[in-house]
Amino acid sequence: MLFQSTSSPPCLCGSFNSLIKFVTAEVIIIKMLRHSRWAILTVLIVIVLTIALVFKLTNSGTQSGSLFSSGELSINPSKVTVRKGPGLDYSKVKVTKTFQSQILQKRNGWLKVRLANNKTAWVPSWQAENTVAKTAATKLSNATIVIDAGHGGNDSGALYDESETSSYYMEKNYTLKLAKLVAKELRARGARVILTRDNDRYVDLKSRPETAESIHADAFISFHFDSSPYANEGTGVTTYYYHKGNNSKKLASAINSQFNNLPLRNNGVDFSDFLVLRDNTRPAILCEMGYINTDQDFKQITSSTYRTKVAKDIVNGLDKYFKEVN
């Protein structure tokens, strides 16, 4: 185990009891001084001190919702890659010696740490698991799933109209919205989710399947929105796979079977030679969730109701998949 928690969040019960006693004592004082000109000042002091104490108690030991907020990492650079940001597309930071650091922040499976030179960097939490043989998930709640929002940054993806320059009409905007929504639904079901990007930035195409490879993901799902040569020519959703022998086709079928009740036509499952699927030995699919340059499809793509329905279908499809392969 490369990462080890050395402490646990403090119990706040005693502190809150003390706080209650403190406030009660001050209320008594206020009653005694209610005829005094100092009563107002006393009230103000009570309010300020109470707010300050509650803030300190509720924030002690936690930063950015980290599961390891009060723990300390021992980072061996020969086994853990240190990067400038929380993603495989960020450049590496040269570290020559093992060092200790408190965890400053957690984001999508990456941990922010402080280096010996007092600068900050990020390390992937999942590399700790590489020292132990990882068995395939038997159900959704113990699965590790990579969600890939297609395009990003200077890669806009397909457009509703070639003459439009607003991100509102760009594919990259809606792949990210959908990816985040699916991640939220999956995490609510107990799954461990890694996003290849969580904001509008460019991510190298090769690094996307590499993420799934490096953490031995149980499933990889890439989201896109299709486009036809001419506007309003194509419609519907399609689920693609590349490999047959690693359960990718089974994953595609299980998830696509949930799309029959969407307001867009289900075009079924098909084979395609996409790099994120071809270079991926993990069960991997790519979902084209509508044609962005078709009016009726674009109306759905921009609808939060539609994306919510898709997210729930994805989760149900994954649940079905894990039950079928185990």
Side-chain angles (χ1 to χ4, degrees), residues 41-319:
L41 179 59
T42 305
V43 170
L44 292 175
I45 293 173
V46 170
I47 292 173
V48 171
L49 291 176
T50 301
I51 292 174
L53 189 54
V54 169
F55 180 83
K56 181 178 181 180
L57 291 172
T58 55
N59 285 278
S60 61
T62 58
Q63 290 189 40
S64 302
S66 172
L67 296 176
F68 308 91
S69 54
S70 61
E72 186 176 81
L73 302 181
S74 177
I75 303 169
N76 184 340
S78 67
K79 298 180 180 180
V80 179
T81 305
V82 183
R83 294 184 182 271
K84 290 185 177 180
L88 294 174
D89 54 316
Y90 286 93
S91 59
K92 296 180 181 179
V93 177
K94 186 176 181 180
V95 178
T96 57
K97 297 180 180 180
T98 298
F99 66 95
Q100 303 287 124
S101 174
Q102 291 288 329
I103 297 170
L104 306 177
Q105 190 178 346
K106 181 182 178 185
R107 182 186 299 174
N108 295 318
W110 289 79
L111 306 174
K112 188 176 184 180
V113 297
R114 191 174 301 281
L115 305 176
N117 60 6
N118 212 35
K119 293 183 178 181
T120 59
W122 294 77
V123 296
S125 64
W126 63 79
Q127 287 192 347
E129 298 176 3
N130 290 345
T131 59
V132 182
K134 185 181 184 300
T135 57
T138 58
K139 54 185 179 179
L140 182 59
S141 60
N142 61 16
T144 298
I145 301 167
V146 173
I147 300 297
D148 175 44
H151 309 285
N154 58 11
D155 177 9
S156 68
L159 299 172
Y160 170 70
D161 187 319
E162 294 294 336
S163 65
E164 299 289 355
T165 58
S166 169
S167 63
Y168 178 79
Y169 300 101
M170 296 179 180
E171 179 185 0
K172 67 173 184 177
N173 182 36
Y174 299 104
T175 59
L176 182 58
K177 287 179 182 291
L178 181 56
K180 286 184 173 181
L181 193 54
V182 171
K184 181 180 178 180
E185 291 284 340
L186 286 171
R187 286 165 180 158
R189 295 282 291 271
R192 176 172 175 247
V193 183
I194 306 297
L195 289 165
T196 57
R197 69 180 180 97
D198 62 353
N199 53 35
D200 183 22
R201 61 185 174 86
Y202 176 76
V203 178
D204 181 71
L205 203 58
K206 289 186 177 181
S207 71
R208 299 172 192 247
E210 286 175 357
T211 300
E213 295 287 330
S214 66
I215 63 174
H216 304 284
D218 297 295
F220 172 96
I221 304 175
S222 184
F223 288 115
H224 288 260
F225 294 98
D226 225 328
S227 180
S228 56
Y230 299 98
N232 298 304
E233 186 179 57
T235 187
V237 302
T238 311
T239 310
Y240 292 100
Y241 70 94
Y242 180 84
H243 297 288
K244 294 182 180 179
N246 67 350
N247 287 331
S248 289
K249 189 174 182 180
K250 289 183 179 179
L251 176 62
S253 297
I255 288 181
N256 183 266
S257 68
Q258 304 299 308
F259 295 156
N260 293 326
N261 295 319
L262 289 176
L264 299 180
R265 185 178 71 200
N266 187 351
N267 296 325
V269 173
D270 202 356
F271 168 88
S272 192
D273 188 13
F274 293 116
L275 184 147
V276 294
L277 304 183
R278 184 183 67 246
D279 290 1
N280 209 328
T281 64
R282 312 308 302 169
I285 64 172
L286 186 147
C287 299
E288 297 274 10
M289 300 310 302
Y291 279 73
I292 199 165
N293 67 339
T294 294
D295 291 342
Q296 65 174 6
D297 288 32
F298 186 68
K299 182 179 179 180
Q300 297 299 330
I301 291 168
T302 57
S303 166
S304 60
T305 301
Y306 173 74
R307 294 193 299 271
T308 298
K309 179 70 170 66
V310 171
K312 292 184 181 300
D313 286 347
I314 293 289
V315 173
N316 291 335
L318 281 166
D319 190 41

